[in-house]
Amino acid sequence: QKEVEQDPGPLSVPEGAIVSLNCTYSNSAFQYFMWYRQYSRKGPELLMYTYSSGNKEDGRFTAQVDKSSKYISLFIRDSQPSDSATYLCAMSSGYSSASKIIFGSGTRLSIRP
Amino acid sequence: DADVTQTPRNRITKTGKRIMLECSQTKGHDRMYWYRQDPGLGLRLIYYSFDVKDINKGEISDGYSVSRQAQAKFSLSLESAIPNQTALYFCATSDLIVQYFGAGTRLSVL
């Protein structure tokens, strides 16, 4: 079993829809949770970063962490064609030399105009 | 200018050849990483370095080697390239947690 599981999609929704992207994980030591966005032929770029449980909002994006269920989500409101990309979740137990960031395999999202 | 620069952006090579991928960063971070990305497998860590004198193997280091020439430079070598090393390679740097990625090198081994 992978430490981090992410539905690969592809997910296709109409413009303006609310998008929900999710990851599950098995390591209860994870404390730092991130979402990266990767456009075609580009490197991943950080979208959201949260520590421990709870919600974090940034414009149209909301990141949610439920540590009791080992489940994280990214919500995109009023989705735009420019949101079409692959979204990768990532998580880590800390920043010591023994901790590494584990990435999900990514969900490919397409927003239809 | 990009914070993390990878060269070359694309490379085609033949089985058995030695090749080097280079990475430089202007973020001033001590930590640097090399990943490969394959469809359906996500990002897998090859090597990482937390400072100039520190080099560590990741989950898929076999067939690869690295050199940390300076705080800002971290290169990845394939000693004898094989076709299953065909992939997209990313270099990244981080302060503690958040990683900043280069644009990637698309490598094809024929």
Side-chain angles (χ1 to χ4, degrees):
Chain A
Q1 183 189 5
K2 292 182 180 179
E3 277 191 286
V4 178
E5 298 275 4
Q6 185 174 9
D7 187 333
L11 181 61
S12 180
V13 301
E15 183 175 355
I18 296 174
V19 176
S20 172
L21 304 170
N22 311 294
C23 287
T24 58
Y25 62 94
S26 57
N27 188 345
S28 58
F30 287 146
Q31 297 277 4
Y32 300 87
F33 304 91
M34 291 146 280
W35 286 94
Y36 284 82
R37 178 174 60 195
Q38 185 177 15
Y39 290 117
S40 181
R41 301 188 180 278
K42 301 282 188 182
E45 57 178 347
L46 182 72
L47 195 58
M48 300 283 285
Y49 166 42
T50 55
Y51 170 72
S52 195
S53 282
N55 293 0
K56 185 173 183 178
E57 190 172 319
D58 184 0
R60 296 184 296 110
F61 299 89
T62 300
Q64 198 170 77
V65 176
D66 182 350
K67 291 187 70 180
S68 62
S69 301
K70 297 190 179 68
Y71 189 87
I72 70 169
S73 301
L74 177 71
F75 298 97
I76 307 174
R77 292 186 301 280
D78 187 24
S79 56
Q80 304 293 310
S82 59
D83 295 327
S84 298
T86 296
Y87 290 80
L88 300 98
C89 61
M91 41 198 86
S92 175
S93 57
Y95 47 79
S96 72
S97 59
S99 301
K100 299 180 192 63
I101 294 178
I102 308 297
F103 286 86
S105 56
T107 299
R108 195 152 49 101
L109 173 66
S110 176
I111 308 297
R112 305 189 303 270
Chain B
D1 288 342
D3 294 324
V4 182
T5 301
Q6 291 185 235
T7 55
R9 291 295 315 278
N10 295 279
R11 179 74 184 268
I12 299 173
T13 191
K14 294 183 178 180
T15 298
K17 294 289 187 182
R18 182 182 189 276
I19 67 162
M20 180 183 290
L21 309 182
E22 300 191 356
C23 176
S24 63
Q25 53 100 355
T26 57
K27 299 287 288 184
H29 295 157
D30 287 324
R31 302 184 178 192
M32 296 189 74
Y33 310 79
W34 275 104
Y35 292 91
R36 66 177 278 176
Q37 188 175 43
D38 300 275
L41 297 177
L43 286 163
R44 292 184 291 166
L45 184 62
I46 306 172
Y47 271 95
Y48 63 103
S49 169
F50 278 13
D51 66 42
V52 175
K53 297 180 181 178
D54 175 74
I55 302 287
N56 303 282
K57 292 182 177 181
E59 61 180 296
I60 54 161
S61 59
D62 287 349
Y64 301 95
S65 62
V66 291
S67 173
R68 185 79 185 267
Q69 300 94 330
Q71 185 205 37
K73 295 183 181 294
F74 193 35
S75 59
L76 176 72
S77 294
L78 284 68
E79 299 301 326
S80 179
I82 56 176
N84 78 359
Q85 291 177 314
T86 293
L88 188 54
Y89 289 84
F90 287 104
C91 174
T93 185
S94 74
D95 45 9
L96 294 177
I97 296 290
V98 175
Q99 298 198 350
Y100 301 88
F101 288 82
T105 294
R106 188 168 295 278
L107 175 66
S108 294
V109 183
L110 305 178

